[in-house]
């Protein structure tokens, strides 16, 4: 591994180590370059090479790279957390590895084995350890990428793939922090469609969301809530996260049948809720049901578990009260308590890395 070079964002912490000079109170969800990235290549024989750590920085790509021309690429999002007991932990990293495998199959790419993926993630976190925020001040966001980097002119799978992992310290995803979100139900644009790539974490799912997202943000909304592209009446997901509604103590979320991302936070919340005795339904949710819901909340790695304060659909705006004893609060606090080590991790979701 190359030695650390001088970086003006670092100060000495008195132990001979350099601490990042970051205002941890205001870190937000942005890219702060860290020390190292992991890079592993795979050529025609579908075998990945040994992989190496390089100083975080630009990569060189052929202008004919499959990812640049035809969008052959996947990404994952994960977080490493520094707990008050001193442990550095990941949350269900094998789930990300498996999701990337499924996505790679859909996008005609080879993928690293789950063990290789998790091992590389752990090493990337350790290589960038000093960038993990202090307890309670945020997390180290980890971004594994699988890209078709070989040159290809005709529409075909690329002849070479690169698996990269980089990391950045982050805080809250939304500028609202953990305050309730204001969502806008989008009717003209769709995020995904049956048979497309909406059910995997393809990079191609995200750029088309920028226009409706930018328009909604310019009108003061936090994010866009998409409807299905066939009937234009069933709730799908938000640009950056999954959605849940609560009515009469029954929790519902749209089913992951191809056009909805199978979120790992989504899956965990379903499991936590069922474990706590809630009825959880994965079913089609008509947009009108939002207007009658008692609570609405969103889940995602970046977003965590975030309450929704209002939804605007056509000319109607419905507001939700955040009940201190409500379902959202219970889900959020249980999810965080498992990660923080405050309650038993009976499903072995937490993976320690130090
Ligand atoms: C995540 O939650 O990790 C994501 O990948 C969503 C992205 C829009 C930040």
């Amino acid at each position: 591994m190359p030695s650390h070079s001088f970086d003006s964002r670092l100060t000495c912490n008195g132990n001979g180590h350099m601490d990042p000079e970051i205002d941890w109170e205001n870190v937000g969800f942005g890219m702060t370059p860290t020390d190292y990235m992991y890079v592993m290549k795979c050529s025609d024989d579908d075998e990945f090479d040994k992989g190496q750590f390089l100083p975080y920085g630009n990569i060189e790509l052929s202008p004919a790279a499959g990812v640049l021309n035809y969008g052959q690429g996947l990404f994952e999002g994960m977080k490493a957390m520094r707990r008050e007991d001193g442990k550095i932990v990941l949350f269900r990293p094998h789930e990300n590895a498996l999701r990337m495998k499924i996505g790679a199959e859909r996008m005609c790419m080879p993928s690293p084995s789950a063990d290789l993926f998790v091992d590389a993630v752990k090493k990337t976190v350790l290589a960038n350890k000093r960038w993990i925020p202090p307890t309670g001040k945020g997390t180290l966001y980890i971004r594994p990428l699988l890209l078709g980097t070989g040159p290809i002119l005709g529409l075909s799978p690329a002849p070479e793939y690169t698996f990269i992992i980089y990391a950045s310290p982050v805080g809250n995803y939304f500028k609202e922090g953990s305050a309730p979100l204001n969502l806008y139900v989008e009717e003209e644009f769709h995020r995904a469609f049956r048979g497309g790539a909406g059910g995997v974490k393809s990079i191609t799912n995200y750029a088309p969301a920028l226009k409706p997202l930018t328009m909604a943000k310019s009108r003061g909304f936090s994010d866009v809530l998409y409807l299905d592209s066939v009937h234009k009446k069933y709730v799908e997901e938000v640009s950056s996260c999954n959605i849940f509604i609560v009515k009469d103590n029954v929790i519902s979320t749209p089913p992951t049948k191809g056009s909805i991302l199978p979120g790992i936070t989504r899956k965990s919340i379903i499991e936590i809720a069922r474990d706590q005795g809630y009825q959880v339904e994965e079913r089609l949710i008509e947009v009108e049901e939002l207007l009658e819901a008692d609570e609405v909340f969103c889940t995602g790695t970046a977003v965590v578990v975030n309450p929704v304060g209002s939804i605007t659909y056509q000319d109607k705006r419905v507001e939700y009260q955040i009940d201190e004893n409500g379902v959202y609060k219970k889900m959020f606090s249980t999810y965080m308590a498992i990660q923080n080590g405050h309650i038993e991790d009976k499903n072995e979701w937490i993976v320690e890395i130090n």
Side-chain angles (χ1 to χ4, degrees), residues 11 37 44 51 65 69 79 100 104 144 148 219 221-222 241 246-247 268 272 284 289 296 298 304 326-327 350:
T11 53
M37 60 186 186
D44 279 341
N69 291 259
K79 282 175 171 172
M100 178 168 271
R219 296 174 58 198
F221 295 103
S222 325
C241 46
V246 183
K247 179 71 183 169
S268 306
I272 289 170
L284 294 177
E289 290 187 55
V296 179
C298 293
V304 191
V327 173
I350 300 299

Side-chain angles (χ1 to χ4, degrees), residues 30-262:
M31 185 62 214
T32 302
T34 53
D35 295 326
Y36 297 106
M37 60 186 186
Y38 182 79
V39 181
M40 185 170 73
K41 285 195 183 290
C42 175
S43 301
D44 279 341
D45 56 4
D46 277 12
E47 287 290 312
F48 281 90
D49 67 18
K50 224 162 56 43
Q52 58 178 326
F53 281 95
L54 297 175
Y56 175 84
N58 294 347
I59 57 169
E60 194 171 89
L61 274 184
S62 160
V67 65
L68 294 182
N69 291 259
Y70 300 122
Q72 199 188 15
L74 290 168
F75 74 92
E76 277 298 325
M78 310 166 70
K79 282 175 171 172
M81 170 191 277
R82 195 186 289 280
R83 293 198 329 200
E84 64 198 4
D85 58 10
K87 290 178 179 157
I88 293 168
V89 298
L90 293 168
F91 186 72
R92 308 187 80 173
H94 277 89
E95 293 287 336
N96 296 87
L98 294 177
R99 189 167 65 181
M100 178 168 271
K101 253 198 170 322
I102 292 166
E105 205 273 322
R106 175 68 182 83
M107 305 293 280
C108 282
M109 299 196 276
S111 56
S113 71
D115 286 345
L116 212 163
F117 177 106
V118 174
D119 190 54
V121 166
K122 287 180 181 173
K123 287 182 176 141
T124 307
V125 172
L126 291 177
N128 294 298
K129 192 171 172 181
R130 62 187 174 152
W131 297 92
I132 306 172
T135 306
K137 304 287 183 203
T139 53
L140 186 72
Y141 187 79
I142 305 146
R143 181 50 73 81
L145 297 171
L146 184 61
L147 309 173
T149 43
I152 192 82
L153 196 55
L155 182 57
S156 253
E160 183 205 78
Y161 295 89
T162 308
F163 177 64
I164 300 176
I165 310 176
Y166 67 87
S168 172
V170 297
N172 286 321
Y173 182 75
F174 288 109
K175 70 169 175 26
E176 288 85 346
S178 50
L181 306 175
N182 299 304
L183 300 182
Y184 176 72
V185 179
E186 174 61 56
E187 290 185 276
E188 187 187 347
F189 297 102
H190 296 278
R191 176 189 168 274
F193 47 90
R194 284 278 170 89
V200 297
K201 220 161 163 57
S202 164
I203 59 172
T204 55
N205 292 331
Y206 291 83
L210 295 176
K211 186 179 169 79
L213 179 63
T214 308
M215 289 183 338
K217 283 195 170 169
S218 72
R219 296 174 58 198
F221 295 103
S222 325
D223 208 329
V224 170
L225 173 57
Y226 289 98
L227 299 180
D228 79 286
S229 62
V230 178
H231 308 94
K232 301 183 188 298
K233 70 171 185 180
Y234 297 110
V235 173
E236 294 237 303
E237 66 177 275
V238 179
S239 324
S240 54
C241 46
N242 295 118
I243 191 153
F244 286 74
I245 69 166
V246 183
K247 179 71 183 169
D248 298 333
N249 250 8
V250 176
I251 305 173
S252 304
T253 191
T256 50
K257 293 241 173 78
S259 56
I260 292 175
L261 188 80

